[in-house]
Amino acid sequence: MGLSSQHVGIKYEDLAYTTQHGFASVGSNNGHNGTTLKAMYWNLDVVTDYSWRSLHISTVVGKKLTNLFYNRPHSKTYYIGCSLGGRQGIDAADMFPGDFDGIIAGSPALDFNNLQSWRASFFTITGSNTSSYFISASTWINLIHKEILEQCDHLDGVNDSIIEDPNLCHFRPETLLCTHHNPTSCLTAKQVAIVREVLSPLYGENGNLIYPAMQPGSEVKAATQLYAGIPFSYSNDWFKYVVYNPSWNASTFNLHDAAVAKDLNPANIRTWPRALSHFKNRGGKMATYHGLQDERITSYNTQRFYEHLSQGMQASPQDLDAFFRFFRVPGMSHCQSGPGAWVIGQGGGVAKEGIAFDPSYNVLAAMVQWVEEGVAPEDIVGTKFVDDNVASGVEYHKRHCRSLEIKAPPSRVREVFFDFGAIPTWHTGFIQTLSLVPKQSVTENAEDGQVEGIHPNTLGNKSQKRFPQEGDTITGLMGGVDFKASVVVSSPTDLTWTGPPFYHLFRGIHTFRFTPSETTPGATVFEQEESFSGLFAWVMREDGMLGTLLGVGTKVRGYFEKFNADLKRAVEDDGEEQAGKAIDGV
């Protein structure tokens, strides 16, 4: 049994846990004891130990010692780790596929260099804890978190203070904006912008994704860590002692620093394999889990890795299921704790207390059964103890199902139904830009701020004079594909503008024919017919991109042919998977 974690030190509770269940175990301190990265300064050997070498050598030596002690070879080898340890487990499967038969990689710190940049970015977003606009931990917990629950807790049909699926939660911090009616328990416009940016993905100098957004719900613990108004120690040390030098100032972090860190990639620590074919082919099994309330590593990134692996191996979810399974754990913080049923036997100490070594309730027991009996875990039942105290008894159990949400690229034409009537909020990460060229040119009146048609750079809070009509042309970027749509039929009735100028109520049918532009070679034509009946709200982000779309009683019927583009890329970039759910059938 190999063990590792995010800490630069041996987790003796994990050694106790695994030996208790009959494993001969070895733990790794990643090469050096300590709580800072100072030893890495101008020392690639130490970085290499931290990246992969310490775990691999510990595993090789541990196997030899075990065989000598018991005077016979071991039968199977397993690994369990979380955070940095989760990253190391996946890295081991990639670099040394023969090291382990079964790997449990929790909350993995994948795409490691970009993770450190993402973490470093929060200090520049929140500002110092001494600034006039700083959002205190109390405000995050007692105001913002409560509003997030108000908007999103009910989406799973149960009000339990847990966001079951953050993908469905598209938090609108504007509801907390100070007004004449509410001048105190509120946020200033500057603070609203901070919250929006904190919960947004990080993009690089070239516009490409650096890291997905932080999932809503994690702010209770993140408020005293990533959002604390001080440099986050892990990323601060990384830039000071690995990327640059000790004089580096965290308040100066910018996108160029992120590019430098990514390009440096010391000891190939990134850990972002496109395939784990060698590990799979030798019969290896891997389970990864991620708490959906993780305050240090966004769970969206593990979803992103699942998709990345699916695409790289050209594997459907069923294909991945043969050796790789991903379990999302609502209400779990980083590696453990939280308001959800987070006890799944993922490590020693409190993570295994009070539950049997049973494949239904214990992820390590489930991995042993999968490797040795060929019975793969369909789900893991998590346990929640009253006040997280085993002596107080079990509060409830909850099944954490494996993820099947992210599909492989489309391979054939399929008929797709989007039923927005069943989805109260759909964030259009899928539609990235949208502009309208009417039969008569778009006109803008700078004095009254009115714009005819839909225009991505000028819509904002300005009013639209009309809805698209027959003969109009819509151009934009949809799911990574440039498109040009001719409005063939447009028959909205009872068109009524209500509330803010960008709300409208309408019914109608629109048929579009999408033709790829010359900039998207390999794409093909598809047609889409939309039948609308409900209330829609178009909200513009500050960068001019289309924001949120609310719909009631709406169905869209689409026909998609295979095209050389990643329909999910826009979703991945924003960490906004609800649109991805809508196109899961593609």
Side-chain angles (χ1 to χ4, degrees):
M1 167 65 70
L3 306 168
S4 189
S5 75
Q6 65 181 334
H7 306 287
V8 187
I10 294 173
K11 292 190 69 178
Y12 292 99
E13 65 269 30
D14 286 356
L15 289 172
Y17 168 45
T18 51
T19 54
Q20 174 189 355
H21 294 291
F23 296 93
S25 303
V26 58
S28 166
N29 67 354
N30 301 322
H32 299 267
N33 284 326
T35 56
T36 76
L37 302 184
K38 290 181 179 179
M40 294 186 182
Y41 187 54
W42 282 99
N43 196 331
L44 184 58
D45 266 349
V46 178
V47 180
T48 303
D49 288 342
Y50 183 78
S51 175
W52 61 265
R53 187 165 56 196
S54 175
L55 175 60
H56 175 60
I57 297 302
S58 298
T59 302
V60 171
V61 173
K63 288 180 179 180
K64 289 182 178 179
L65 289 174
T66 301
N67 296 346
L68 287 171
F69 183 85
Y70 288 99
N71 199 29
R72 61 185 174 88
H74 61 276
S75 56
K76 298 292 182 181
T77 54
Y78 298 89
Y79 173 87
I80 188 168
C82 191
S83 193
L84 179 72
R87 180 201 66 80
Q88 288 175 306
I90 293 173
D91 196 40
D94 181 35
M95 294 183 66
F96 307 102
D99 275 3
F100 302 105
D101 299 294
I103 293 174
I104 299 170
S107 306
L110 298 168
D111 201 0
F112 187 82
N113 304 292
N114 283 335
L115 168 63
Q116 299 309 326
S117 294
W118 176 74
R119 287 168 161 175
S121 71
F122 287 106
F123 182 47
T124 62
I125 296 171
T126 65
S128 168
N129 55 18
T130 60
S131 67
S132 60
Y133 53 80
F134 178 71
I135 302 174
S136 68
S138 175
T139 300
W140 275 108
I141 296 169
N142 299 314
L143 180 67
I144 300 170
H145 181 65
K146 284 186 177 181
E147 179 62 19
I148 287 176
L149 292 180
E150 179 68 25
Q151 294 186 25
C152 299
D153 185 18
H154 66 279
L155 295 178
D156 62 349
V158 180
N159 288 304
D160 56 2
S161 298
I162 296 173
I163 298 176
E164 180 72 17
D165 187 351
N167 295 329
L168 301 179
C169 177
H170 305 297
F171 176 56
R172 294 180 295 113
E174 294 81 7
T175 58
L176 296 174
L177 187 63
C178 295
T179 65
H180 294 299
H181 301 291
N182 180 25
T184 54
S185 297
C186 59
L187 301 176
T188 66
K190 172 71 173 177
Q191 290 174 324
V192 167
I194 289 172
V195 173
R196 187 186 299 114
E197 191 171 0
V198 160
L199 296 176
S200 296
L202 180 65
Y203 293 94
E205 293 176 302
N206 57 5
N208 291 337
L209 178 73
I210 293 177
Y211 224 70
M214 174 65 91
Q215 72 279 314
S218 59
E219 52 281 339
V220 171
K221 287 194 171 182
T224 57
Q225 297 182 43
L226 291 176
Y227 311 162
I230 58 176
F232 188 63
S233 60
Y234 295 176
S235 55
N236 193 41
D237 275 11
W238 188 253
F239 278 95
K240 279 188 172 183
Y241 303 119
V242 180
V243 179
Y244 292 129
N245 59 65
S247 67
W248 183 76
N249 188 330
S251 65
T252 66
F253 173 82
N254 56 39
L255 297 180
H256 181 68
D257 294 327
V260 171
K262 179 182 178 181
D263 291 341
L264 183 63
N265 190 28
N268 196 28
I269 198 172
R270 183 189 182 194
T271 315
W272 197 245
R274 287 190 56 81
L276 296 173
S277 301
H278 294 300
F279 179 73
K280 174 188 176 183
N281 292 341
R282 65 168 300 274
K285 309 298 182 187
M286 183 183 296
T288 185
Y289 63 88
H290 208 130
L292 303 188
Q293 205 160 307
D294 193 319
E295 74 281 6
R296 293 186 180 182
I297 304 174
T298 174
S299 62
Y300 292 145
N301 195 56
T302 305
Q303 294 178 224
R304 173 177 166 240
F305 175 67
Y306 184 92
E307 178 184 329
H308 175 74
L309 197 64
S310 172
Q311 293 173 345
M313 299 183 70
Q314 289 297 296
S316 68
Q318 291 72 27
D319 294 332
L320 286 182
D321 262 1
F323 84 103
F324 183 94
R325 297 198 171 193
F326 169 38
F327 299 90
R328 301 195 303 161
V329 185
M332 179 193 277
S333 301
H334 187 60
C335 294
Q336 61 182 30
S337 78
W342 60 268
V343 177
I344 57 173
Q346 67 269 38
V350 294
K352 58 90 175 176
E353 295 295 336
I355 62 172
F357 195 70
D358 181 321
S360 296
Y361 297 89
N362 185 296
V363 67
L364 179 55
M367 177 56 70
V368 171
Q369 185 181 55
W370 191 8
V371 169
E372 300 184 14
E373 300 177 26
V375 180
E378 295 296 319
D379 53 59
I380 299 294
V381 177
T383 302
K384 178 67 175 179
F385 293 101
V386 177
D387 298 325
D388 286 335
N389 186 342
V390 175
S392 299
V394 174
E395 183 174 350
Y396 65 89
H397 294 292
K398 179 175 175 55
R399 293 173 61 243
H400 303 307
C401 301
R402 72 188 192 280
S403 178
L404 287 174
E405 295 178 356
I406 305 173
K407 304 295 183 65
S411 58
R412 62 182 185 275
V413 179
R414 295 184 184 178
E415 190 171 345
V416 188
F417 293 91
F418 308 178
D419 190 352
F420 297 136
I423 304 173
T425 303
W426 178 50
H427 196 296
T428 56
F430 181 49
I431 302 177
Q432 293 171 279
T433 64
L434 186 66
S435 60
L436 174 69
V437 181
K439 287 181 288 188
Q440 297 180 350
S441 62
V442 173
T443 61
E444 178 174 352
N445 187 321
E447 293 182 358
D448 63 15
Q450 291 187 339
V451 180
E452 279 195 0
I454 304 170
H455 195 285
N457 296 320
T458 55
L459 179 59
N461 291 327
K462 301 174 183 179
S463 61
Q464 304 173 50
K465 289 187 175 179
R466 66 172 182 79
F467 195 73
Q469 299 176 358
E470 294 180 36
D472 290 348
T473 299
I474 298 178
T475 61
L477 183 65
M478 185 174 187
V481 178
D482 294 306
F483 69 85
K484 181 178 182 180
S486 299
V487 181
V488 181
V489 178
S490 182
S491 56
T493 59
D494 301 329
L495 182 62
T496 306
W497 303 98
T498 62
F502 44 85
Y503 280 75
H504 55 266
L505 178 67
F506 64 92
R507 291 192 297 271
I509 298 175
H510 315 281
T511 302
F512 304 113
R513 182 174 177 83
F514 292 82
T515 305
S517 73
E518 295 178 357
T519 62
T520 313
T524 55
V525 174
F526 68 89
E527 292 187 351
Q528 178 172 301
E529 181 181 279
E530 303 180 358
S531 301
F532 297 109
S533 178
L535 173 68
F536 279 61
W538 302 78
V539 182
M540 300 303 295
R541 301 193 322 215
E542 289 182 346
D543 58 3
M545 304 292 268
L546 189 63
T548 303
L549 176 64
L550 304 177
V552 179
T554 304
K555 279 194 175 182
V556 179
R557 182 175 182 176
Y559 297 88
F560 294 84
E561 290 189 11
K562 180 180 179 182
F563 50 89
N564 182 24
D566 183 358
L567 282 175
K568 300 287 287 303
R569 183 60 54 193
V571 179
E572 173 187 283
D573 285 352
D574 280 349
E576 298 156 350
E577 295 292 330
Q578 182 53 46
K581 283 179 174 291
I583 62 170
D584 255 349
V586 177

